[in-house]
Amino acid sequence: MRLLRAYRIAPIVILYLIYAVVWLVISLLARDQSLHLLFFTPLLELVGCCVLIGGALYIGYLIGRQRDPASSITPDAAHLSAVSTMEANYHTLQTAFERQTRESALLDRVRIAISRELDLQTIIRTVVEGVAETFGYTQISLYLLEGHELVLQYQIGYDKVIERIPITKGISGRVITSGEPLLIEDVSSEPEFLGAISGIVSEIAVPLFDQHKVVGLFNVESINGIKLTNADLALMIALSDHIDIALNRARLYEDIRRNEETFRQLFHHAPIAMVLSNMTAQVVRVNPATCELLGYSESELLGMNLSAVAYPEDDPKNIALRDELIQGKMTYFTMEKRYLAKSGKLIHGILQVALIRDAHGNPSQFVGQIVDVTDLKEAERKLQSLNLMLEQRVNERTRELSSANQRLIELDKLKTKFIGDISHELRTPVANINTRLYLIDHDKTARAADHLAVIKAQMGRLQLLLDDVLNFARLEAVEKETLFLEPININTLIETLKPTFLARANAAKLTLQYELQSDPLMIHGSDELIVKLFTNLLDNAIKYTHTGHVQVRTHEVASKQCAVIEVSDSGHGILPEDLPHIFERFYRGHDVGSLTIPGAGLGLAIVKEIVALHHGEVEVESIPSQGTTFRIFLPLVNELSAL
């Protein structure tokens, strides 16, 4: 009998199992393919109806058989109970399926919102409003962590809110600290509960994560005696996974946006030229500094190939370095590069280029910056020029110093020679004087007069020597501006000295000839200095001429507006190597010593100084063993007055 009853209810059980399997399959498909719910939901309802109809028909069949006397099947209470249980289970499954459908629809809505939206606030609002609309939750809020506080981002159902919650307080603080979701079915039993409004029954708090770090809290509360359950908690946990993804994407997007904005600001406000170009060197972005440097507007530069503004000779090196960048041989390169501005000006720059790659590591763009070093290059050029000039000046100065040093050495030699000569010149007359004084003292004959004559001559020699030294010292101290000059007739001065030098020439058995210009030769000069000049020249001519003649001539050179005093002789002459030095102080010719002619080497130096003080010039011509000619050029009165 029991086997018969089991056999009778087996069809009902089989129908029930078929329905359960179909519900399970459809539920799984619906979770992953929510866009097909419009198809799966009617299918499940159709299967459920078929099960109910099949069960009802089967029960009717059993009841009909009971009423049929010929039937051996009699429905009993067990059959009716099984059908009722099946019907109740169907309604339970249908309710669960409807909830599952709503959950799937909500999660699908959240996924769509996340995939379509990057703005975090928009995503938060979509999630909160979607949960409220789909499940009828009346109190929902979402907080994000800022420092040590939870800050409210969006809420539904509260007329009063808690804007900030310290992580050390309340259930929220516990969830943030532990990182675990929490369901409080009865908040009245929770002393740490923080209620924004009265009448709250239950609370669900789920932590939100970004890269495994707690960043916020999703909170659902209930009122009006409704308690939240583990099913609600499971839904919130599932939902939080999607919110976590949204937070991560929003953070990445915000980081990208912030980095892009930072790059844009840096690029735009950079004080140096910056250029973004594609792989074919076409400009895709420039900053104002680039426009200012090259003289082009931004619209003119965009799309332009960089070779159009580059100095042609620098392009091959630039292209080679870009190829090495693309090949990964370097991360950036730096080179000097010249550019041609719109105005035609040549610009010297230091170019630094880096390669930007896309998410797959493929070369995407070049970013370059150009530092204008045109002024620096010009400064370097000027510095090189100055260095060259300085080097030349140093070389010139070195030569001058070397020459001056050589001159000092020569002067030192002259000084030494002068000291020797002056000592000899002083020693000779002093020795003669001492000898004559001794003879006068011991010789009682009538020769005392001869001795005194010699002493007198030697004293004159000493006097002349001292006069030369003193005269030269005075001339060196005289300045042209302070020298008193007056009109002088040169011929008149020479005539006054004529008797003296004729006597000396006769004593030396020489012929002294004068050829003076008949017209007066007027100059501005000093009587005393002109006499000294003429005396030194004529005295030297007589001393250095043993036989022959000495000639004095004066004349005017109209082309130069100068008076000329010319003294020539047929004497010893001057060696060619001595000619450049004869006007130097203390200088005496190389062969003077063999002539036993006294002197200190100051006579001609004095002549030169006097000529210079009178704004004149001196010339000399000499042929050894044939004679010497000195010419003195002195400005005439008219020319000097013009000065």
Side-chain angles (χ1 to χ4, degrees), residues 282-339:
Q282 287 181 312
V283 177
V284 296
R285 180 184 289 184
V286 293
N287 66 346
T290 306
C291 300
E292 182 179 354
L293 177 66
L294 298 177
Y296 291 93
S297 66
E298 182 178 1
S299 59
E300 288 175 319
L301 287 173
L302 292 178
M304 180 186 293
N305 195 291
L306 289 174
S307 60
V309 293
Y311 200 71
E313 294 179 3
D314 296 340
D315 254 357
K317 180 180 179 181
N318 190 10
I319 293 171
L321 290 172
R322 284 209 310 261
D323 290 342
E324 291 187 20
L325 266 185
I326 295 171
Q327 295 166 15
K329 295 181 179 180
M330 59 178 70
T331 56
Y332 69 93
F333 69 81
T334 302
M335 64 172 288
E336 287 191 18
K337 189 170 182 180
R338 292 164 292 181
Y339 297 88

Side-chain angles (χ1 to χ4, degrees), residues 213-284:
K213 181 180 178 182
V214 177
V215 295
L217 182 80
F218 188 55
N219 192 74
V220 177
E221 294 176 335
S222 64
I223 58 174
N224 299 328
I226 299 173
K227 284 189 176 183
L228 300 175
T229 65
N230 286 323
D232 299 307
L233 177 62
L235 175 60
M236 295 303 111
I237 292 174
L239 193 59
S240 69
D241 291 339
H242 296 286
I243 299 175
D244 292 346
I245 295 173
L247 290 174
N248 181 262
R249 292 181 74 250
R251 179 187 59 78
L252 292 176
Y253 170 73
E254 182 61 24
D255 289 345
I256 293 172
R257 191 198 62 78
R258 190 182 300 111
N259 290 337
E260 270 194 356
E261 178 62 20
T262 301
F263 175 77
R264 192 189 69 79
Q265 292 291 336
L266 289 175
F267 191 91
H268 183 79
H269 296 290
I272 59 177
M274 296 190 71
V275 181
L276 205 62
S277 63
N278 60 20
M279 299 307 296
T280 58
Q282 287 181 312
V283 177
V284 296

Side-chain angles (χ1 to χ4, degrees), residues 533 583-584 603-613 616 618 632:
L533 178 152
F583 293 106
E584 296 173 1
L604 291 179
I606 291 173
V607 169
K608 184 178 180 181
E609 287 292 326
I610 293 173
V611 171
L613 288 172
V618 58
I632 307 299

Side-chain angles (χ1 to χ4, degrees), residues 76-144:
D76 53 16
H79 296 146
L80 296 176
S81 176
V83 173
S84 298
T85 301
M86 184 182 67
E87 186 177 2
N89 288 338
Y90 166 75
H91 286 295
T92 301
L93 289 173
Q94 187 176 22
T95 302
F97 175 74
E98 290 175 355
R99 179 181 178 87
Q100 182 68 34
T101 301
R102 290 197 303 273
E103 289 179 4
S104 298
L106 174 62
L107 295 177
D108 186 65
R109 178 178 179 181
V110 170
R111 280 195 298 268
I112 293 173
I114 291 172
S115 63
R116 293 180 178 176
E117 185 61 57
L118 290 172
D119 180 65
L120 182 59
Q121 292 300 320
T122 302
I123 293 173
I124 290 174
R125 185 170 61 253
T126 300
V127 170
V128 172
E129 291 176 353
V131 171
E133 292 174 5
T134 306
F135 290 94
Y137 296 120
T138 55
Q139 279 72 37
I140 308 173
S141 57
L142 193 149
Y143 289 80
L144 291 181

Side-chain angles (χ1 to χ4, degrees), residues 573-584 587-591 604 608 618-624 627-630:
I574 303 171
L575 296 175
E577 59 266 27
D578 289 331
L579 275 176
H581 308 290
I582 60 174
F583 293 106
E584 296 173 1
Y587 185 84
R588 303 194 75 194
H590 289 80
D591 59 347
L604 291 179
K608 184 178 180 181
V618 58
E619 288 181 356
V620 60
E621 295 177 359
S622 183
I623 300 175
T628 302
T629 300
F630 283 90

